[in-house]
């Protein structure tokens, strides 16, 4: 019995390993930033600059790898690291991705990044294929999903974080001396976390759908070519188990079970996560009962899509878009009722039209970035790019060609902004052009190890973390490119995710270059603001108080204001406060 069991395990493991697409040899490597200043001589499709952008954005994830690095590692300055993760629980939690500029592994935002990328690779898969980046997409997804499998060691247990936010916040340095201990935090049947379990279920299901089927979810597009039915089945099993865990245990946010995650990624709710997970389970398993369940939950929770945003915490606006896709493209799952289709289109369009008509909470900065006070404060590009991503996805399904046009125009403007068509003349992706940020808030890329002198030690960033999308500019469109300004310069798994989907779409859609090839060398340097920004990393106001006191007052004032507008939870967590000072 015993030996048969281990043989079966072995052959299963070998089967999984063999199914990965072979990586190019020699490997694809990101070209130097100067190559992003070379205009293509004529329109071409696929356009080489867009293809390079996809490659760069994927390469970022490779730089974020935790655990034992394989021989195929392309990031020369990275080492194997955190190779004892999980030892406190007696399980193997090595691998996966570091969340941002630091060294913790956070399941909740990572699950959204995986969900988002797999959804995009179903919709815009031909972009990865044309860019010849599908093997790297496969490699990137497996590095995340294989870890997520380890983080789900039995049906009712999910590891939601590895590493303690406070301990990690006091470390700034390379990957060889990462702060310890690195505790593992779990949710389980006695201490559940509805949002985290549902969100991981959504990631497994969305990626199962990608690996499991080549059926398009949008007309005229094909999923990326990485079929692996056995892997799809494994992912679907985890998705089903996690969804049962989420919905058959007490409903509560995961920080209620694990208070230690509250100052890192506290979630504001779980309704969105449950509905999105049911929809992706419907897609992955061709299941009309999951489709109907998503409808039931949406109505039982009395959800609306009027004025939310889209990010790691809130996925509500993605829901009517996926409903519309399933109702119009997958009648076998959804039944394809015209009445339901009209309802979901109406909800999607109400959300988008409010943005276009300046009736939403969001507004355009002078330079044209969609900005939400509060939600955009610590990562201004992220809500804007997430919304651009779903607007592009939805546009062909709109109820009129006028709306199709309007959505595409608006979304293209957001994408162009991030690609350098902005008052700073800066594309906000490291290494793609000479005007791109050079001081990302990434401890391992910086080469420094002095937490009190993040900006000057060293003066010049040691390692170029190609493809890293930074937080983004201020509401006044200013970008200071200061390493310690985590608000504007931090990198993160979920910042790259919508940009990656948009770039893959760009490969399949645009024969002209991404905007940045038209930027003159020195275009950013000539407008770069001097001094410091006013943001959560550099509170200002000239009160003469100590920095700690200023932060405390700013927090109290902010909280009072936010209680009034009902945003307390989302703001409370002071996301990614990696100054090493906010929490000590
Ligand atoms: C990887 O290890 C080498 C050799 O010890 C070291 O020089 C380098 O800084 C390390 N990389 C990081 C990101 O810490
Ligand atoms: C269940 O989760 C709670 C909260 O993380 C933890 O304290 C407890 O040890 C877990 N129980 C088991 C049996 O793992
Ligand atoms: C779901 O249906 C699609 C399209 O008919 C098919 O390609 C796929 O294999 C099916 N997946 C499952 C899990 O049955
Ligand atoms: C939805 O609400 C109805 C009526 O209260 C209830 O019977 C049903 O069990 C609920 N369904 C779910 C999935 O929560
Ligand atoms: C959008 O609305 C806000 C607040 O209602 C207003 O201040 C702003 O000027 C409007 N912008 C445009 C472009 O109409």
């Amino acid at each position: 019995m015993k030996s048969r069991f281990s043989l079966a395990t072995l052959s299963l493991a070998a089967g999984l390993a063999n199914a990965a697409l072979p990586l190019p040899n020699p490997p694809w490597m990101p070209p130097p930033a100067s190559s992003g200043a070379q205009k293509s001589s004529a329109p071409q499709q696929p356009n080489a600059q867009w293809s390079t952008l996809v490659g760069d954005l994927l390469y970022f994830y490779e730089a974020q790898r935790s655990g034992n690095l394989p021989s195929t590692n392309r990031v020369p300055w990275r080492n194997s690291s955190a190779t004892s993760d999980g030892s406190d629980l007696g399980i193997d939690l090595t691998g996966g991705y570091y969340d941002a500029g630091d060294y913790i592994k956070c399941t909740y935002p990572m699950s959204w990044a995986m969900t988002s990328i797999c959804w995009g690779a179903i919709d815009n898969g031909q972009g990865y294929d044309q860019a010849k980046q599908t093997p790297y997409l496969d490699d990137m997804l497996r590095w995340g999903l294989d870890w997520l499998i380890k983080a789900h060691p039995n049906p009712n247990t999910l590891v939601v974080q590895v590493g303690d936010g406070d301990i990690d916040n006091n470390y700034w340095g390379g990957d060889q001396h990462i702060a310890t201990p690195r505790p593992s935090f779990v949710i389980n049947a006695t201490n559940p976390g509805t949002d985290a379990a549902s969100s991981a279920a959504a990631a497994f299901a969305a990626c199962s759908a990608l690996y499991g089927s080549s059926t398009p979810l949008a007309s005229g597009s094909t999923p990326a070519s990485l079929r692996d039915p056995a892997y799809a089945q494994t992912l679907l099993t985890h998705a089903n188990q996690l969804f049962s865990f989420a919905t058959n245990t007490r409903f509560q946010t995961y920080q209620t079970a694990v208070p230690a995650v509250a100052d890192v990624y506290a979630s504001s709710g779980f309704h969105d996560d449950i509905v999105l997970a049911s929809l992706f389970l419907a897609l992955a398993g061709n299941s009309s009962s999951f489709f109907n369940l998503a409808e039931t939950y949406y109505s039982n929770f009395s959800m609306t899509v009027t004025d939310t945003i889209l990010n790691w915490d809130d996925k509500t606006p993605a829901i009517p878009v996926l409903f519309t896709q399933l109702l119009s493209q997958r009648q076998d799952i959804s039944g394809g009722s015209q009445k339901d289709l009209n309802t979901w289109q109406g909800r999607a369009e109400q959300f988008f039209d409010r943005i276009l008509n300046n009736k939403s909470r969001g507004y355009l900065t002078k330079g044209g970035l969609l900005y939400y006070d509060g939600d955009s404060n610590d990562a201004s590009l992220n809500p804007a790019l997430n919304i651009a991503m779903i607007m592009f996805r939805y546009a062909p399904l709109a109820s009129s060609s006028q709306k199709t046009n309007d959505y595409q125009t608006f979304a293209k403007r957001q994408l162009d902004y991030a690609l350098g068509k902005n008052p700073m003349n800066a594309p906000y992706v490291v290494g793609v052009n000479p005007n791109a940020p050079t001081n990302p808030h990434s401890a391992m890329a910086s080469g420094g190890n002095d937490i009190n002198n993040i900006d000057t030690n060293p003066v010049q960033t040691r390692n170029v973390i190609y493809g890293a999308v930074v937080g983004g500019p201020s509401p006044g469109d200013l970008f200071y490119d200061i390493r310690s300004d985590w608000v504007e310069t931090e990198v993160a798994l979920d910042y790259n995710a919508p940009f990656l989907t948009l770039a893959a779409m760009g490969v399949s859609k645009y024969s002209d270059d991404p905007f940045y090839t038209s930027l003159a060398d020195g275009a950013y340097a000539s407008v770069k603001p001097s001094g410091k920004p006013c943001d959560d990393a550099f509170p200002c106001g000239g009160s003469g108080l100590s920095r700690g006191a200023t932060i405390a007052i700013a927090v109290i004032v902010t909280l009072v204001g936010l209680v009034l507008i009902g945003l307390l939870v989302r703001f409370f967590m002071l996301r990614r406060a990696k100054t090493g000072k906010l929490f000590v």
Side-chain angles (χ1 to χ4, degrees), residues 77-79 103 173-176 444-445 462-463:
W77 45 270
R78 278 305 319 282
N79 309 287
Y103 293 102
D175 58 18
Q176 298 302 278
M444 60 188 180
R462 185 165 305 151
N463 309 304

Side-chain angles (χ1 to χ4, degrees), residues 122 205-206 209 217 278-287 322 326 330 333:
I122 295 171
L217 195 49
S278 336
L279 281 176
F280 276 118
L281 275 159
L283 177 64
N286 296 325
S287 160
L322 186 51
L326 294 174
R330 291 299 302 272
I333 298 169

Side-chain angles (χ1 to χ4, degrees), residues 89 157 185-192 257-259:
L89 297 182
T157 301
F185 299 98
V186 305
I187 52 172
N188 52 38
T190 43
N191 286 67
V258 186

